[in-house]
Amino acid sequence: MQELADCAREAIERDGATALSYGPVGGYQPLRDWIAERHGVDAARVLVTNGSLQGIAFLADHFAGRRVLVESPTYDRPLKLLAARGVDVTAVAMDDEGLDPDALERALGSGSQPAFLYTIPTFQNPSGRTLTTERRRRLVDLARAHDLLVLEDDPYGLVRFEGEAPPTLFELDGAEHVIYSSSFSKTIAPGLRVGYFVLPQALDAELEAIAVSTYITPVLLGQATVFEFLRRGNLEPNLERVQGLLRVRRDAMLEALEQELPAATWSHPQGGYFVWVELPHELAAAPGVTFVAGTDFGGAPNTARLAFSYVSPDEIREGVRRLAAAVEEPVGV
């Protein structure tokens, strides 16, 4: 917090006339330039948003009433955004290796042409699964063959505890059919509300027009604070800190599940925030422990998302113990 306070102070002292005024809806230009250089694109293709979810809302507005493909299960907030805009959502099956390309091909072969596919290929929310490199290549091939736009939502990719990072869909595609989305919420701080999109040129102007009509100007002070944090070289050291903290919590959850819930099955994420659990039977509630029912994400009634990011290892162990007790003696609502 002290470092971010200092970054905000420096951002105002160095460039307050820009950061505290109205500005270009595409975002704080030095931050756009930094993002563009990181992804090897022109800065005009970068749209910095108030959290990446707002960019997804802009896409949903743009494609309102169309058909969109999503993973099953998938992040519940985009599902709500799409439903509110009359989007016809088609769920595509996944397994422990991520989105099933055969199921995707079947979905592409039936129904109207989708506006886009929404996918979280790395440390997926809610399952924690990661799409294999082989499947990533297959997905990109399918996108090219069917002229399919793909939204690659990648907020967790840098929060890796172990293993080698696969190439992003954006990298494999060469930026032809893939929109890349990410956020600084998981790598710096969520309250800053700084996410971004790398868009095809054809979409950039149209989404910026939606953004202008939504909030006139972005929150430039937050974006300038993030840029100062990055400019100082803080990202990599902070990632190491975050990775270390979350690795211990992930390990505590997996160990607790092994000890307390041997009748269940669960994902084994190499990073991110979540573990996806398949319980022996449907569980409506568990006294004294909070989790999100898998049905919120389009999952089966006996599934649940367990988040290990915001609680201590001891709290994780106690939470799994309480969950296991509720599984043994189901509690009605």
Side-chain angles (χ1 to χ4, degrees), residues 63-96:
F63 292 112
R66 297 277 302 278
R67 179 181 179 229
V68 171
L69 307 181
V70 302
E71 298 163 329
S72 180
T74 193
Y75 184 22
D76 57 337
R77 300 305 171 88
L79 287 177
K80 294 175 181 178
L81 290 171
L82 293 168
R85 290 154 176 82
V87 171
D88 177 18
V89 173
T90 299
V92 181
M94 66 186 310
D95 56 28
D96 287 340

Side-chain angles (χ1 to χ4, degrees), residues 195-226:
Y196 67 89
F197 281 66
V198 181
L199 297 161
Q201 280 188 322
L203 273 177
D204 181 61
E206 294 175 2
L207 261 63
E208 283 197 11
I210 295 173
V212 166
S213 66
T214 303
Y215 48 63
I216 303 177
T217 185
V219 185
L220 295 173
L221 178 56
Q223 295 179 15
T225 300
V226 167

Side-chain angles (χ1 to χ4, degrees), residues 9-272:
R9 183 181 301 107
E10 175 66 21
I12 292 174
E13 290 176 350
R14 189 186 67 250
D15 199 17
T18 299
L20 297 175
S21 184
Y22 291 107
V25 75
Y28 185 62
Q29 194 60 49
L31 180 59
R32 292 180 83 185
D33 293 339
W34 187 93
I35 293 167
E37 182 177 356
R38 187 175 183 88
H39 294 288
V41 299
D42 188 279
R45 294 180 54 190
V46 175
L47 174 64
V48 186
T49 55
N50 300 327
S52 58
L53 191 62
Q54 187 158 50
I56 297 173
F58 292 159
L59 273 174
D61 286 335
H62 180 70
F63 292 112
R66 297 277 302 278
R67 179 181 179 229
V68 171
L69 307 181
V70 302
E71 298 163 329
S72 180
T74 193
Y75 184 22
D76 57 337
R77 300 305 171 88
L79 287 177
K80 294 175 181 178
L81 290 171
L82 293 168
R85 290 154 176 82
V87 171
D88 177 18
V89 173
T90 299
V92 181
M94 66 186 310
D95 56 28
D96 287 340
E97 294 186 347
L99 183 70
D100 181 350
D102 292 333
L104 174 60
E105 189 167 22
R106 289 193 294 271
L108 289 169
S110 61
S112 59
Q113 172 70 11
F116 63 91
L117 163 69
Y118 173 66
T119 177
I120 312 170
T122 306
F123 312 138
Q124 196 235 19
N125 182 0
S127 72
R129 296 163 174 158
T130 293
L131 188 66
T132 64
T133 299
E134 180 182 354
R135 288 192 178 187
R136 289 171 189 246
R137 297 187 189 281
R138 176 88 184 281
L139 192 158
V140 167
D141 287 344
L142 286 170
R144 290 170 175 164
H146 292 266
D147 195 23
L148 173 67
L149 185 64
V150 177
L151 171 55
E152 178 179 18
D153 195 7
D154 189 28
Y156 310 103
L158 294 178
V159 188
R160 172 174 290 276
F161 319 143
E162 60 192 46
E164 292 295 321
T168 65
L169 299 175
F170 183 83
E171 291 166 344
L172 290 173
D173 174 61
E176 294 178 12
H177 293 86
V178 177
I179 299 170
Y180 183 83
S181 165
S182 192
S183 168
F184 294 101
S185 292
K186 310 302 185 289
T187 55
I188 300 179
L192 288 166
R193 308 312 305 138
V194 180
Y196 67 89
F197 281 66
V198 181
L199 297 161
Q201 280 188 322
L203 273 177
D204 181 61
E206 294 175 2
L207 261 63
E208 283 197 11
I210 295 173
V212 166
S213 66
T214 303
Y215 48 63
I216 303 177
T217 185
V219 185
L220 295 173
L221 178 56
Q223 295 179 15
T225 300
V226 167
F227 174 71
E228 177 62 22
F229 188 88
L230 299 170
R231 190 184 70 82
R232 295 182 179 192
N234 285 334
L235 181 61
E236 292 303 324
N238 198 56
L239 279 174
E240 291 181 13
R241 183 183 69 87
V242 170
Q243 290 162 350
L245 288 168
L246 293 182
R247 181 188 297 111
V248 171
R249 297 174 187 183
R250 187 275 317 260
D251 291 347
M253 180 166 283
L254 295 182
E255 290 166 4
L257 287 168
E258 189 71 37
Q259 293 171 3
E260 304 286 350
L261 266 171
T265 59
W266 52 85
S267 59
H268 292 73
Q270 292 185 314

Side-chain angles (χ1 to χ4, degrees), residues 299-322:
N302 69 321
T303 58
R305 187 192 76 174
L306 307 184
F308 52 80
S309 60
Y310 198 64
V311 281
S312 70
D314 286 343
E315 288 172 319
I316 288 169
R317 296 183 188 99
E318 176 61 17
V320 173
R321 187 195 67 76
R322 295 182 187 184

